[in-house]
Amino acid sequence: MAVTDLSAEASSITPSAVPRPRVAVVGSGFMGRVHAEAARRAGAEIVGAVGSSAERAAGAAEAVGAAQGYSDLHAMLTDAAPDVVHVCTPNAVHAAAAEAALAAGAHVICEKPLATSAGDAARLAAAALDGGRVATVPFVYRFHPMAREMRARIAAGEPGAVSVVHGGYLQDWLSRPEDDNWRVNAAVGGLSRAFADIGSHWCDFLEFVLGERILALSAQSATVRERRGDAAVSTEDLVTLHLRTTSGVLGTGVVCQVAAGRKNRLHLEVSGTDASLGFDQELPEQLWVGRRDGSTLLVRDPETLSPQALRYSRLPAGHAQGYQDCFDAFIADTYAAVRGEPVPDGLPTFADGLRAARLTEAVLTSAAAGGQWTEVPA
């Protein structure tokens, strides 16, 4: 399973010691604002925001609704003394910011990729464990109720013998020649772009709902737009995967950020001898169940969901839940662990961030070798 037991870390935290978490947000872009909104909904007080200059610090504080902006991370950690730090910076800064927050005694929620190398990710996971801190990574697609329903049905054996898994994650926000972003720059975003950014989500989702690991993979990558702006592009626009799980299940996946018309389509189908289950993040209220004698499209309904899914179904049937609801649930579960409550099932931790970093390095290794099968370290 891709889920790590955090009970050892959480056991050192006194329940209700942090009744209303004081949190800080490092980074004020789209993800920083999403984190801040979820933090407010979970009852947190946003005491600080960090920007790279005095002007940016003031803008960051305004963007996330923080009490004060800081141009220096260490000054914020000392002055604001947050209980939880949300790291939402460009990828290359993740490791240093998370490490500083852990060293200051804070719990940490760090955007993925946790780090741009597996070595740095391993160091962060060890630091969180050694310090007894709650440290999580927002693999938030786990928190769709119908994703939990899919996981529960697979665990109960509903598909029968699983024959194959297949799907992918498709976006189009970089499909045009003029499209550009800091993620394209390997010095800022890391050596992998499409896979580290969204392929890691797909692999985490697959391992989470299937309940087993990817043992080995064969990857091909391509850069469709070789120049963006005035710079050459060295990071990939797409990755195709063949994979094999620990039990021998085979699978395929396509990860692409230049697929016109696809905005944010994470989809996965698990095909079995008795039933097949399919989930599409762009249609998150539904779960497709296919059988030899007919198929059913299940719609989220608290009266029919499994207990695992029901926990995340916050609205009556017919009242759609979506991405922000997933993020809210993830943040609420993280804060519950910070308060010393029993760690909620499926909370993605720094160990899962390390797992994603190891998968990313396996993809890069395989693609560089022309698709050679590569084992993923356990």
Side-chain angles (χ1 to χ4, degrees):
M1 295 281 293
V3 182
T4 300
D5 184 357
L6 261 177
S7 57
E9 295 100 310
S11 63
S12 63
I13 304 162
T14 304
S16 74
V18 191
R20 186 188 184 197
R22 292 165 43 83
V23 309
V25 180
V26 186
S28 59
F30 167 70
M31 289 315 306
R33 296 191 297 273
V34 171
H35 278 250
E37 179 62 25
R40 280 190 290 271
R41 294 183 183 188
E45 177 187 3
I46 305 177
V47 297
V50 178
S52 57
S53 66
E55 183 179 0
R56 287 180 178 272
E62 182 178 1
V64 303
Q68 186 170 342
Y70 297 84
S71 59
D72 181 82
L73 172 63
H74 296 279
M76 183 278 293
L77 292 170
T78 300
D79 182 57
D83 302 307
V84 184
V85 174
H86 294 245
V87 177
C88 311
T89 64
N91 302 345
V93 184
H94 286 182
E99 194 165 34
L102 289 170
H107 307 281
V108 180
I109 301 171
C110 182
E111 266 301 323
K112 49 104 239 349
L114 176 58
T116 55
S117 75
D120 284 346
R123 190 177 71 252
L124 290 171
L129 184 65
D130 292 344
R133 299 295 88 187
V134 174
T136 61
V137 177
F139 288 119
V140 296
Y141 300 118
R142 297 180 177 198
F143 292 84
H144 281 297
M146 300 313 284
R148 295 287 175 135
E149 184 71 16
M150 184 178 185
R151 182 187 186 222
R153 288 170 178 257
I154 291 171
E158 185 171 332
V162 175
S163 53
V164 67
V165 293
H166 48 102
Y169 199 151
L170 308 176
Q171 298 177 331
D172 72 354
W173 67 287
L174 287 171
S175 61
R176 294 173 177 165
E178 65 271 21
D179 294 331
D180 204 357
N181 184 267
W182 60 260
R183 292 173 177 82
V184 172
N185 184 348
V188 182
L191 296 177
S192 171
R193 188 218 323 146
F195 186 84
D197 188 22
I198 60 176
S200 58
H201 267 301
W202 186 76
C203 288
D204 177 81
F205 189 87
L206 184 157
E207 292 189 334
F208 181 67
V209 301
L210 193 61
E212 58 177 290
R213 299 281 203 186
I214 297 169
L215 179 65
L217 56 83
S218 168
Q220 300 272 0
S221 66
T223 302
V224 177
R225 302 293 185 192
E226 296 186 352
R227 295 193 68 84
R228 295 184 184 274
D230 297 326
V233 175
S234 61
T235 55
E236 79 281 356
D237 287 322
L238 64 94
V239 171
T240 61
L241 287 177
H242 287 86
L243 61 91
R244 183 174 66 251
T245 72
T246 48
S247 71
V249 174
L250 299 179
T252 61
V254 177
V255 176
C256 183
Q257 293 181 316
V258 294
R262 292 299 186 186
K263 301 305 178 184
N264 199 51
R265 192 190 184 211
L266 180 152
H267 62 290
L268 178 71
E269 186 169 318
V270 175
S271 301
T273 54
D274 296 333
S276 298
L277 301 168
F279 176 80
D280 185 340
Q281 197 277 146
E282 288 189 341
L283 299 168
E285 293 281 271
Q286 302 174 358
L287 180 67
W288 177 78
V289 181
R291 300 185 187 278
R292 180 81 176 260
D293 55 358
S295 300
T296 304
L297 194 61
L298 301 179
V299 178
R300 183 187 59 80
D301 185 343
E303 294 188 5
T304 61
L305 293 176
S306 65
Q308 298 94 319
L310 181 60
R311 183 173 185 271
Y312 295 98
S313 184
R314 300 184 172 191
L315 297 174
H319 298 72
Q321 293 183 202
Y323 175 77
Q324 186 68 54
D325 296 285
C326 284
F327 223 99
D328 294 349
F330 160 71
I331 295 298
D333 277 5
T334 298
Y335 289 174
V338 166
R339 289 192 297 269
E341 298 172 14
V343 178
D345 174 55
L347 185 63
T349 72
F350 273 21
D352 297 298
L354 171 57
R355 173 68 180 167
R358 287 175 171 161
L359 281 161
T360 299
E361 291 196 349
V363 164
L364 290 174
T365 298
S366 176
Q372 178 178 310
W373 278 91
T374 303
E375 289 195 4
V376 182

